[in-house]
mmCIF file of all heavy atoms in Angstrom:
data_model
loop_
_atom_site.group_PDB
_atom_site.id
_atom_site.type_symbol
_atom_site.label_atom_id
_atom_site.label_comp_id
_atom_site.label_asym_id
_atom_site.label_seq_id
_atom_site.Cartn_x
_atom_site.Cartn_y
_atom_site.Cartn_z
ATOM 1 N N ARG A 343 8.051 -24.358 10.753
ATOM 2 C CA ARG A 343 9.086 -24.044 9.712
ATOM 3 C C ARG A 343 10.204 -25.144 9.805
ATOM 4 O O ARG A 343 10.659 -25.491 10.902
ATOM 5 C CB ARG A 343 9.758 -22.671 9.836
ATOM 6 C CG ARG A 343 8.704 -21.557 9.673
ATOM 7 C CD ARG A 343 9.402 -20.168 9.617
ATOM 8 N NE ARG A 343 10.213 -19.910 10.773
ATOM 9 C CZ ARG A 343 9.703 -19.324 11.875
ATOM 10 N NH1 ARG A 343 8.447 -19.065 11.977
ATOM 11 N NH2 ARG A 343 10.545 -19.108 12.894
ATOM 12 N N VAL A 344 10.543 -25.620 8.624
ATOM 13 C CA VAL A 344 11.627 -26.650 8.660
ATOM 14 C C VAL A 344 12.759 -26.158 7.689
ATOM 15 O O VAL A 344 12.490 -25.842 6.540
ATOM 16 C CB VAL A 344 11.117 -28.021 8.066
ATOM 17 C CG1 VAL A 344 12.193 -29.033 8.084
ATOM 18 C CG2 VAL A 344 9.869 -28.451 8.861
ATOM 19 N N LEU A 345 13.950 -26.138 8.195
ATOM 20 C CA LEU A 345 15.037 -25.651 7.439
ATOM 21 C C LEU A 345 15.824 -26.826 6.770
ATOM 22 O O LEU A 345 16.056 -27.808 7.423
ATOM 23 C CB LEU A 345 15.997 -24.909 8.404
ATOM 24 C CG LEU A 345 17.208 -24.231 7.800
ATOM 25 C CD1 LEU A 345 16.802 -23.034 6.977
ATOM 26 C CD2 LEU A 345 18.139 -23.741 8.945
ATOM 27 N N ARG A 346 16.131 -26.625 5.518
ATOM 28 C CA ARG A 346 16.886 -27.655 4.796
ATOM 29 C C ARG A 346 18.117 -26.978 4.157
ATOM 30 O O ARG A 346 17.887 -25.959 3.442
ATOM 31 C CB ARG A 346 15.974 -28.266 3.738
ATOM 32 C CG ARG A 346 16.528 -29.562 3.094
ATOM 33 C CD ARG A 346 15.471 -30.050 2.097
ATOM 34 N NE ARG A 346 16.077 -31.003 1.175
ATOM 35 C CZ ARG A 346 16.228 -32.337 1.514
ATOM 36 N NH1 ARG A 346 15.718 -32.842 2.562
ATOM 37 N NH2 ARG A 346 16.850 -33.119 0.615
ATOM 38 N N GLY A 347 19.282 -27.492 4.431
ATOM 39 C CA GLY A 347 20.435 -26.793 3.901
ATOM 40 C C GLY A 347 21.212 -26.107 5.002
ATOM 41 O O GLY A 347 20.816 -26.114 6.113
ATOM 42 N N ASP A 348 22.378 -25.531 4.580
ATOM 43 C CA ASP A 348 23.245 -24.853 5.505
ATOM 44 C C ASP A 348 23.050 -23.329 5.561
ATOM 45 O O ASP A 348 23.446 -22.674 4.568
ATOM 46 C CB ASP A 348 24.678 -25.210 5.063
ATOM 47 C CG ASP A 348 25.736 -24.585 5.965
ATOM 48 O OD1 ASP A 348 25.318 -24.025 7.035
ATOM 49 O OD2 ASP A 348 26.908 -24.630 5.668
ATOM 50 N N PRO A 349 22.498 -22.830 6.663
ATOM 51 C CA PRO A 349 22.294 -21.416 6.647
ATOM 52 C C PRO A 349 23.554 -20.546 6.627
ATOM 53 O O PRO A 349 23.513 -19.389 6.390
ATOM 54 C CB PRO A 349 21.563 -21.096 8.027
ATOM 55 C CG PRO A 349 21.727 -22.409 8.812
ATOM 56 C CD PRO A 349 22.069 -23.503 7.900
ATOM 57 N N ALA A 350 24.719 -21.234 6.839
ATOM 58 C CA ALA A 350 26.014 -20.468 6.758
ATOM 59 C C ALA A 350 26.568 -20.542 5.322
ATOM 60 O O ALA A 350 27.649 -20.078 5.090
ATOM 61 C CB ALA A 350 26.950 -21.022 7.765
ATOM 62 N N GLY A 351 25.931 -21.279 4.392
ATOM 63 C CA GLY A 351 26.408 -21.486 3.090
ATOM 64 C C GLY A 351 25.728 -20.520 2.089
ATOM 65 O O GLY A 351 25.363 -19.421 2.432
ATOM 66 N N ARG A 352 25.622 -20.990 0.812
ATOM 67 C CA ARG A 352 24.962 -20.086 -0.238
ATOM 68 C C ARG A 352 23.669 -20.654 -0.736
ATOM 69 O O ARG A 352 23.149 -20.216 -1.720
ATOM 70 C CB ARG A 352 25.978 -19.938 -1.416
ATOM 71 C CG ARG A 352 27.301 -19.409 -1.091
ATOM 72 C CD ARG A 352 27.238 -18.029 -0.437
ATOM 73 N NE ARG A 352 27.048 -16.861 -1.310
ATOM 74 C CZ ARG A 352 27.066 -15.620 -0.819
ATOM 75 N NH1 ARG A 352 27.272 -15.346 0.459
ATOM 76 N NH2 ARG A 352 26.839 -14.623 -1.704
ATOM 77 N N SER A 353 23.117 -21.759 -0.108
ATOM 78 C CA SER A 353 21.852 -22.221 -0.577
ATOM 79 C C SER A 353 21.146 -22.795 0.662
ATOM 80 O O SER A 353 21.773 -23.370 1.551
ATOM 81 C CB SER A 353 21.951 -23.245 -1.643
ATOM 82 O OG SER A 353 22.530 -24.448 -1.164
ATOM 83 N N LEU A 354 19.802 -22.662 0.674
ATOM 84 C CA LEU A 354 18.988 -23.227 1.717
ATOM 85 C C LEU A 354 17.504 -23.201 1.313
ATOM 86 O O LEU A 354 17.185 -22.462 0.332
ATOM 87 C CB LEU A 354 19.171 -22.589 3.089
ATOM 88 C CG LEU A 354 18.366 -21.409 3.512
ATOM 89 C CD1 LEU A 354 18.485 -21.175 4.949
ATOM 90 C CD2 LEU A 354 18.710 -20.212 2.670
ATOM 91 N N ALA A 355 16.678 -23.888 2.029
ATOM 92 C CA ALA A 355 15.225 -23.852 1.759
ATOM 93 C C ALA A 355 14.530 -23.870 3.116
ATOM 94 O O ALA A 355 14.972 -24.630 4.041
ATOM 95 C CB ALA A 355 14.790 -25.007 0.858
ATOM 96 N N VAL A 356 13.465 -23.020 3.188
ATOM 97 C CA VAL A 356 12.678 -23.015 4.368
ATOM 98 C C VAL A 356 11.229 -23.496 4.005
ATOM 99 O O VAL A 356 10.612 -22.869 3.112
ATOM 100 C CB VAL A 356 12.615 -21.667 5.052
ATOM 101 C CG1 VAL A 356 11.791 -21.660 6.335
ATOM 102 C CG2 VAL A 356 14.037 -21.137 5.330
ATOM 103 N N PHE A 357 10.798 -24.593 4.569
ATOM 104 C CA PHE A 357 9.447 -25.116 4.297
ATOM 105 C C PHE A 357 8.447 -24.693 5.415
ATOM 106 O O PHE A 357 8.847 -24.764 6.584
ATOM 107 C CB PHE A 357 9.536 -26.657 4.202
ATOM 108 C CG PHE A 357 10.321 -27.120 3.003
ATOM 109 C CD1 PHE A 357 11.669 -27.292 3.126
ATOM 110 C CD2 PHE A 357 9.707 -27.392 1.809
ATOM 111 C CE1 PHE A 357 12.406 -27.777 2.023
ATOM 112 C CE2 PHE A 357 10.360 -27.836 0.683
ATOM 113 C CZ PHE A 357 11.822 -28.003 0.795
ATOM 114 N N HIS A 358 7.322 -24.239 4.976
ATOM 115 C CA HIS A 358 6.310 -23.854 5.910
ATOM 116 C C HIS A 358 5.172 -24.857 5.915
ATOM 117 O O HIS A 358 4.523 -25.076 4.916
ATOM 118 C CB HIS A 358 5.721 -22.449 5.553
ATOM 119 C CG HIS A 358 6.780 -21.382 5.577
ATOM 120 N ND1 HIS A 358 6.798 -20.371 6.547
ATOM 121 C CD2 HIS A 358 7.871 -21.136 4.832
ATOM 122 C CE1 HIS A 358 7.828 -19.615 6.342
ATOM 123 N NE2 HIS A 358 8.466 -20.038 5.294
ATOM 124 N N LEU A 359 4.943 -25.552 7.059
ATOM 125 C CA LEU A 359 4.011 -26.589 7.101
ATOM 126 C C LEU A 359 2.803 -26.261 8.048
ATOM 127 O O LEU A 359 3.057 -25.785 9.150
ATOM 128 C CB LEU A 359 4.588 -27.915 7.616
ATOM 129 C CG LEU A 359 5.844 -28.477 6.887
ATOM 130 C CD1 LEU A 359 6.369 -29.680 7.554
ATOM 131 C CD2 LEU A 359 5.431 -28.772 5.405
ATOM 132 N N ASP A 360 1.610 -26.355 7.539
ATOM 133 C CA ASP A 360 0.405 -26.193 8.330
ATOM 134 C C ASP A 360 -0.176 -27.541 8.646
ATOM 135 O O ASP A 360 -0.725 -28.149 7.794
ATOM 136 C CB ASP A 360 -0.582 -25.348 7.531
ATOM 137 C CG ASP A 360 -1.847 -25.073 8.316
ATOM 138 O OD1 ASP A 360 -1.855 -25.400 9.525
ATOM 139 O OD2 ASP A 360 -2.898 -24.672 7.700
ATOM 140 N N ASP A 361 0.080 -28.043 9.871
ATOM 141 C CA ASP A 361 -0.340 -29.371 10.248
ATOM 142 C C ASP A 361 0.168 -30.399 9.234
ATOM 143 O O ASP A 361 -0.489 -31.326 8.810
ATOM 144 C CB ASP A 361 -1.901 -29.437 10.134
ATOM 145 C CG ASP A 361 -2.496 -30.108 11.361
ATOM 146 O OD1 ASP A 361 -1.657 -30.518 12.174
ATOM 147 O OD2 ASP A 361 -3.719 -30.283 11.459
ATOM 148 N N GLY A 362 1.410 -30.230 8.788
ATOM 149 C CA GLY A 362 2.082 -31.169 7.898
ATOM 150 C C GLY A 362 1.854 -30.789 6.449
ATOM 151 O O GLY A 362 2.691 -31.189 5.609
ATOM 152 N N ARG A 363 0.821 -30.053 6.114
ATOM 153 C CA ARG A 363 0.574 -29.703 4.735
ATOM 154 C C ARG A 363 1.455 -28.469 4.277
ATOM 155 O O ARG A 363 1.538 -27.457 4.958
ATOM 156 C CB ARG A 363 -0.890 -29.287 4.567
ATOM 157 C CG ARG A 363 -1.321 -29.157 3.084
ATOM 158 C CD ARG A 363 -2.828 -29.339 3.030
ATOM 159 N NE ARG A 363 -3.592 -28.281 3.716
ATOM 160 C CZ ARG A 363 -3.884 -27.086 3.189
ATOM 161 N NH1 ARG A 363 -3.467 -26.729 1.974
ATOM 162 N NH2 ARG A 363 -4.565 -26.196 3.953
ATOM 163 N N LEU A 364 2.151 -28.607 3.152
ATOM 164 C CA LEU A 364 3.068 -27.586 2.689
ATOM 165 C C LEU A 364 2.267 -26.354 2.248
ATOM 166 O O LEU A 364 1.457 -26.431 1.331
ATOM 167 C CB LEU A 364 3.924 -28.119 1.536
ATOM 168 C CG LEU A 364 5.003 -27.159 1.074
ATOM 169 C CD1 LEU A 364 5.998 -26.845 2.176
ATOM 170 C CD2 LEU A 364 5.768 -27.721 -0.139
ATOM 171 N N GLN A 365 2.578 -25.205 2.828
ATOM 172 C CA GLN A 365 1.916 -23.973 2.482
ATOM 173 C C GLN A 365 2.803 -23.099 1.669
ATOM 174 O O GLN A 365 2.303 -22.318 0.800
ATOM 175 C CB GLN A 365 1.538 -23.166 3.764
ATOM 176 C CG GLN A 365 0.171 -23.590 4.330
ATOM 177 C CD GLN A 365 -0.566 -22.368 4.814
ATOM 178 O OE1 GLN A 365 0.034 -21.336 5.096
ATOM 179 N NE2 GLN A 365 -1.842 -22.499 4.981
ATOM 180 N N ALA A 366 4.129 -23.079 1.988
ATOM 181 C CA ALA A 366 5.030 -22.175 1.224
ATOM 182 C C ALA A 366 6.465 -22.731 1.334
ATOM 183 O O ALA A 366 6.785 -23.467 2.264
ATOM 184 C CB ALA A 366 4.955 -20.797 1.886
ATOM 185 N N VAL A 367 7.249 -22.422 0.356
ATOM 186 C CA VAL A 367 8.707 -22.739 0.397
ATOM 187 C C VAL A 367 9.470 -21.536 0.048
ATOM 188 O O VAL A 367 9.122 -20.826 -0.980
ATOM 189 C CB VAL A 367 9.056 -23.954 -0.442
ATOM 190 C CG1 VAL A 367 8.626 -23.811 -1.879
ATOM 191 C CG2 VAL A 367 10.493 -24.349 -0.347
ATOM 192 N N GLU A 368 10.536 -21.204 0.739
ATOM 193 C CA GLU A 368 11.433 -20.127 0.427
ATOM 194 C C GLU A 368 12.776 -20.800 0.081
ATOM 195 O O GLU A 368 13.340 -21.544 0.915
ATOM 196 C CB GLU A 368 11.619 -19.207 1.601
ATOM 197 C CG GLU A 368 10.438 -18.514 2.103
ATOM 198 C CD GLU A 368 10.608 -17.928 3.562
ATOM 199 O OE1 GLU A 368 11.044 -18.707 4.418
ATOM 200 O OE2 GLU A 368 10.348 -16.784 3.763
ATOM 201 N N ALA A 369 13.203 -20.654 -1.212
ATOM 202 C CA ALA A 369 14.339 -21.411 -1.677
ATOM 203 C C ALA A 369 15.457 -20.523 -2.239
ATOM 204 O O ALA A 369 15.205 -19.711 -3.144
ATOM 205 C CB ALA A 369 13.839 -22.389 -2.761
#
Side-chain angles (χ1 to χ4, degrees):
R343 298 190 301 275
V344 181
L345 184 68
R346 192 177 164 86
D348 177 9
R352 303 303 280 183
S353 71
L354 90 166
V356 183
F357 292 87
H358 297 250
L359 303 178
D360 179 13
D361 225 1
R363 190 158 63 85
L364 185 62
Q365 272 220 343
V367 56
E368 299 165 307

